Amino acid sequence: MTLTDDLLKWRLEFPILGNTVYLISHSLGAMPRETFSRLTDYAETWATRGVRAWAEGWWDMPVTVGNEVARIIGAGPGNVVMHQNVSICQSLILSCFEPTPKRNKIVYSELNFPSVMYVYEAHARDGRLRIETVKSDDGITIPLERFLEAIDEETLLVPFSHVLFKSGFLQNAKAITERAHEVGARVILDTYQSAGTVPFSVKELNVDFATGGSVKWLCGGPGAGYLYVRPDLQQQLQPKTTGWMAHEAPFAFDTELRYAPGIARFLHGSPAIPALYAAQSGYRIINEIGVDRIREKSVRQTTRLIEMAYEAGFRVTSPKDAADRGGTVTVGHEGAAAITRELIRREFIVDFRPGAGVRISPHFYTSDEELELVVREMKDIRDTRAYAVHETAGAAF
Ligand SMILES: Cc1ncc(COP(=O)(O)O)c(C=O)c1O
């Protein structure tokens, strides 16, 4: 393999790159080798320190690990806490608000991540919230003007994705946040598909909340979701989804809740410690490289991938302009689901989403050669109709 850029030196740190062409960091980023030893550290600590481990770091981990994520998303220390996933963070944020007859609208797009929609939909069942869903014309993008128009004086919250999971479309978070603030609404930016591949700062964007997870571009594995709350809002909010970690004196075991000052009030019960250990190696690597460098490489590689897909006679469904997309390229074909199955069988790890096609994501550890190989393989599978055996396929994961 020829070394085409210095980020390729990180390849050795990711065991799965040795035996697959791994192009699925929009779904499950590759595991850093160091995660083996972090999980051993966890077990060692539990085995040797026992219950003392809580006072020796475990109890504070949702905040200390949150500080590592904060550096990636441009937040200050003490403004991010760790949770299990985005869905619980959305519920927790919603539980801070009381809809009124005059301000009860939730605005999001139909291309939002479905799990996020389920949270609002379920809460809207009692009739106290209304949901306005902004439509897409092409299933790939959301017209900004249409989104902005839907946000009005009756809007309470705008939970939206920075990068759309299906197509990789990068939304204008600044414009949406400004519009929401103009009318007194709050925004919740879902940064799951942007953090670690698109540089941004929650502080500069001035979002009220941000949430994401570590499974994808952060290479941190499952169970390590994060929640950012704008510092000036923290003191004003009292989440109803709560627990003893949100208490100002949890070990006083008071029978009444008094919220902790600052970000700890956005915690609930005991944290998922092993997941936090597992996630740290990914954050360390992303912070060491820096998201600007990752994005620079990603733009170069996704641009090249789009060119090669066109040259091979495929339809590219994700945005063509690099400024409009995150780290993923989607390739359409009527047999895309079946082509995906055959690619996976041949150790090219990608996935398929209806309406978009084969999702392919180079990350900082991807070589140019791997991109050439995947396009060549897709072409071969199409031209030989090797995908026909999988023709009833849907999404595999
Ligand atoms: C944009 C976006 N939000 C949220 C999620 C996942 O949500 P959760 O952390 O609740 O599983 C995904 C995962 O695919 C996603 O792409």
Side-chain angles (χ1 to χ4, degrees):
M1 190 184 66
T2 46
L3 287 187
T4 52
D5 63 60
D6 67 340
L7 295 190
L8 292 182
K9 68 172 190 245
W10 290 99
R11 286 179 70 82
L12 295 173
E13 302 298 322
F14 293 87
I16 203 167
L17 305 183
N19 47 30
T20 68
V21 176
Y22 201 76
L23 295 166
I24 195 159
S25 303
H26 56 261
S27 173
L28 184 62
M31 189 195 86
R33 187 180 302 283
E34 193 189 52
T35 304
F36 284 117
S37 61
R38 288 303 289 146
L39 284 170
T40 303
D41 289 347
Y42 159 70
E44 278 288 329
T45 305
W46 183 11
T48 58
R49 300 305 298 155
V51 73
R52 292 168 292 187
W54 285 113
E56 291 168 1
W58 282 11
W59 185 263
D60 297 325
M61 276 184 92
V63 175
T64 54
V65 174
N67 286 340
E68 295 168 38
V69 175
R71 290 175 56 202
I72 300 172
I73 64 170
N79 293 320
V80 174
V81 278
M82 301 306 294
H83 280 286
Q84 193 184 338
N85 56 49
V86 164
S87 308
I88 189 65
C89 292
Q90 297 277 352
S91 295
L92 198 146
I93 296 164
L94 180 53
S95 84
C96 298
F97 294 92
E98 256 330 298
T100 64
K102 288 216 160 110
R103 198 180 281 280
N104 58 14
K105 196 166 87 163
I106 307 291
V107 176
Y108 55 62
S109 89
E110 64 173 332
L111 299 180
N112 217 354
F113 191 73
S115 187
V116 174
M117 301 199 258
Y118 303 157
V119 170
Y120 293 91
E121 223 179 271
H123 280 87
R125 270 186 222 138
D126 66 6
R128 294 170 67 233
L129 285 178
R130 270 181 312 131
I131 295 172
E132 181 166 339
T133 308
V134 182
K135 298 284 174 211
S136 163
D137 291 326
D138 54 6
I140 300 293
T141 59
I142 299 291
L144 178 62
E145 283 312 312
R146 195 178 295 167
F147 205 140
L148 299 183
E149 270 164 32
I151 304 171
D152 59 19
E153 274 74 11
E154 297 189 348
T155 306
L156 180 64
L157 293 171
V158 184
F160 69 105
S161 297
H162 199 187
V163 171
L164 301 182
F165 79 101
K166 193 181 279 193
S167 61
F169 177 56
L170 175 60
Q171 302 214 85
N172 188 334
K174 193 152 188 79
I176 295 169
T177 304
E178 278 170 7
R179 172 65 189 152
H181 288 172
E182 216 171 79
V183 294
R186 302 272 176 221
V187 301
I188 304 161
L189 185 64
D190 179 342
T191 52
Y192 216 140
Q193 292 289 356
S194 57
T197 186
V198 177
F200 65 90
S201 154
V202 287
K203 227 188 292 179
E204 270 166 34
L205 291 173
N206 197 27
V207 295
D208 305 289
F209 306 92
T211 177
S214 307
V215 174
K216 307 172 192 299
W217 307 94
L218 300 181
C219 302
Y226 57 86
L227 169 62
Y228 161 82
V229 184
R230 215 175 69 196
D232 60 302
L233 287 179
Q234 291 172 13
Q235 231 44 20
Q236 304 168 25
L237 299 172
Q238 303 199 328
K240 289 191 276 294
T241 297
T242 190
W244 67 312
M245 286 198 86
H247 199 284
E248 70 173 12
F251 291 95
F253 300 103
D254 277 353
T255 50
E256 260 174 49
L257 170 60
R258 275 176 289 117
Y259 286 100
I263 196 71
R265 70 171 55 200
F266 299 93
L267 289 169
H268 46 62
S270 310
I273 298 294
L276 301 182
Y277 270 84
Q280 284 176 297
S281 324
Y283 306 154
R284 184 187 61 73
I285 293 170
I286 301 284
N287 272 318
E288 202 168 317
I289 299 173
V291 184
D292 284 329
R293 286 175 74 206
I294 295 175
R295 173 68 171 171
E296 199 184 310
K297 173 167 174 171
S298 164
V299 166
R300 179 178 71 72
Q301 285 195 323
T302 51
T303 302
R304 181 72 194 119
L305 185 56
I306 290 173
E307 281 166 14
M308 287 191 295
Y310 275 131
E311 279 160 25
F314 286 103
R315 190 161 45 84
V316 173
T317 53
S318 48
K320 313 303 173 288
D321 187 342
D324 291 335
R325 67 170 186 266
T328 303
V329 170
T330 54
V331 175
H333 184 274
E334 51 284 8
I339 291 175
T340 302
R341 294 251 171 183
E342 182 60 15
L343 280 169
I344 294 165
R345 200 187 65 75
R346 298 182 184 191
E347 306 280 358
F348 286 81
I349 314 299
V350 294
D351 67 6
F352 163 79
R353 287 294 174 263
V358 188
R359 293 195 299 176
I360 308 173
S361 296
H363 205 3
F364 60 88
Y365 40 58
T366 305
S367 69
D368 291 355
E369 188 192 3
E370 287 176 308
L371 299 182
E372 281 159 28
L373 289 175
V374 75
V375 174
R376 198 177 74 191
E377 211 66 25
M378 275 197 302
K379 192 162 176 280
D380 176 74
I381 292 168
R382 179 197 62 197
D383 295 348
T384 60
R385 289 195 49 82
Y387 64 91
V389 289
H390 309 289
E391 239 154 11
T392 53
F397 31 69

